[in-house]
Amino acid sequence: MAIRAVNNCSFFRPSPSLSSVPHFFSTYRRLPTVIRFHPPSSCYGCCHTQTRSIKSLFETVMEELKAKRKRRKKVVVSVNASASSSNAELLNEVLTEEILVNRSLQKGLLLEFKKDSDRILLAVAQRPDGKKNWMVSDQNGVSSSIKPQQVTYIVPGISNFDQANIAGFLQKAQDNMDPSLLEFAWSELLEKNKTVTVEEMAEIIFGSVEPLESYSAHLLLSKDEVYFTVLETKGSRCVYGPRSSEQVEELIRRKAAKEIAVKEFQEFIKLLRSAKSMPSQDKPSKSSWKDEEKIWSRIESLEAYAIDACKSDEQRETAGMILKEMGLAKTTSSTVKLLIDIGYFPVHVNLDLLKMKIPTDHSEKITSAAQSLLSDSSDPDEVNRKNLTNLKVYAIDVDEADELDDALSATKLQDGRINVWIHVADATRYVQPGSIVDREAMRRGTSVFLPTATYPMFPENLAMGAMSLRQGELCNAVTVSVVLHDDGSIAECSVFNSVIKPTYMLTYESASELLHLNLQEEVELRTLYEAAKLRLNWRRQQGAVETATLETRIKVSNPEDPEPSITLYVENQADPAMRLVSEMMILCGEAIATFGSLNNIPLPYRGQPQSDINLSEFSHLPEGPVRSFALVKIMRAAEIDFRKPARHGVLGVPGYVQFTSPIRRYLDLLAHYQIKAFLRGEPPPFIPGNLEGIGAGVNEKAREVRKLCNSSLRYWILEYLRKQPEARRYRALVLKFFKGRLAALLLVEVGFQATAWVSVGTQIGDEVVVKVEESHPRDDIIHVKEVARD
């Protein structure tokens, strides 16, 4: 072991490995800023002498390094065998430097290389691989071919390293990783404005340029983010310079902040793991994740990633870091599962609802404005309202309907003709065009009806309260009165403001039952049904296309539970009560189109040209769902004209305006604004151009909502099927063949379409029996298989 004495202070140069504490800072590691140390005056002499000794030591080392650099320049590469040992040592150093600068790889060299963006490994060079690449064997015993550009450092002084010793070498180097060793060297180098190579830094802090010390210095410098920066790179050799005091101060501040952030991040991960391990009933509530801003920010990032709606790269990176730390794949499905596992998302979270950003409640501002409207008891149309409280009024809808916006009455005139009244809730009694409540309704475009909830277009206190028709109460309405010819065509029609008193609130099931009983007390309901049959026959004569099929509704009463209660309804649109209501709604639409056309009122007139459909081509198909399925596939989309009516070929009417749902559909409300202004003798609030602009935005929103409703219904049908007994069998109608025997099926008991292979000889319209082999609602997967009849 060599001993060097400088100014009465000695230090040791360990060789070949650092078995003891590094010599230069063994005494002073606790004094990293020696030059700024100011001792008390009583011991100043002693300490001052010691400080001078350290500085003198540093200066001596730097002078020696400077001299060594000069001597290297004087050494020629070709020396004879009789050269002195000191020159041979210098020659070895020059050759080592040449290897470092030029990346001249040789077998047996120990090198560090960049495996990928995240990993840097130690390896031993084995042999050339092609013209430039080299095969190396790394610390994990893995052989790979690397390019010279991947080499980040070649450990000097090693010519034939054993790959088996890499792990031990690396461990010893990491044991020397004390960043405080750099601080004193930084302060001295900064004061003298000096630069250093890795080997020179090894000499300064370890007193040696042996392989282990050199690599330890390389690790310290390459991982340092505070004191030094790379000024120059020559091959694998880097020249480092000290950063300024201001830079170091700022970097230390940033490093401290980063360490705090890392600690907070780890605490957040710990919180996630804790919540994930809890039983369902003990998991934190969704609102509790919002209590702390930093926690909420990370949860927001995960939610945005789950629905593919990240607002910034920072959100995406945050979510990715969390998933990686949790050992999960960086996918939306993994993120959704994590948010479910911690209790933030319910098991059956509606992702489409989140993705589409459909509003699920009304702001306090809108709710307050609606309440103010309710407080105003004035009715601008009061003097013009006809009192129709003497009529028996039937409101027929699904049993869970909250927004009741239409009802029906009918009587027979003395000449035998039928007079039908379609009463529509007068929403404009409370809301006017351009008001804050109207603008919010326009923004939404439509109410949203999902199996799990209803999100009304208007605030609930209006939509399900004052605007809605209520049994036994006086209700404001806009009534469409129609007298029918004996063939079902319109003989007379009028539109006026009214007051009604609904007699019955019936479900489709109860209305059908009343029709079946044919009670004398309900002759008005029978008259309505008679009018509906007249209308259907007349429309068929006008070329109407029948599309009645099975319609599925689902009610989920407790959607937040992992195993919610699901009630499924399958309604046949050819059912008497459904047929009755459907025909009366079509009649109302035709009457409003006729009224608007006669009075030149701009309205959203719907048309659907279907002149190219030859119904006789489908007569071979069974009437009902099978034929309807085939017809719907070739129908053209409806078109809207805001100036004049256009024929609606599918419905078989000369014109059509949707008018019966002003509480649920904004385009219906627009029609009410226009008609009500005419009834008051005022010009319509909207010209055709205005209506067209509004209609485009509203229709786009309606399409989004329709997509959401369809996807939600499909999800819950699949969940319903998943929960059914494995042995359950279903009747299915064959609707279409795709390829070979792969068929589109309609599961009759569920009203759901699926595909399956069916037996040879099966024809379109035939009924087969199937079972559901698997159903995964979250992945939108269902497998159906035909089985033999019992």
Side-chain angles (χ1 to χ4, degrees), residues 174 235 371 580 615 649 663 752:
Q174 289 173 341
Q371 191 59 44
L580 185 158
L615 295 180
I663 305 176
F752 179 74

Side-chain angles (χ1 to χ4, degrees), residues 364-378 429-431 436-437 459 461-462:
E364 185 177 344
K365 183 178 180 181
I366 299 298
T367 304
S368 298
Q371 191 59 44
S372 298
L373 294 174
L374 293 172
S375 302
D376 183 3
S377 59
S378 63
R429 155 72 174 79
Y430 296 98
V431 62
I436 184 174
V437 175
N461 50 359
L462 283 177

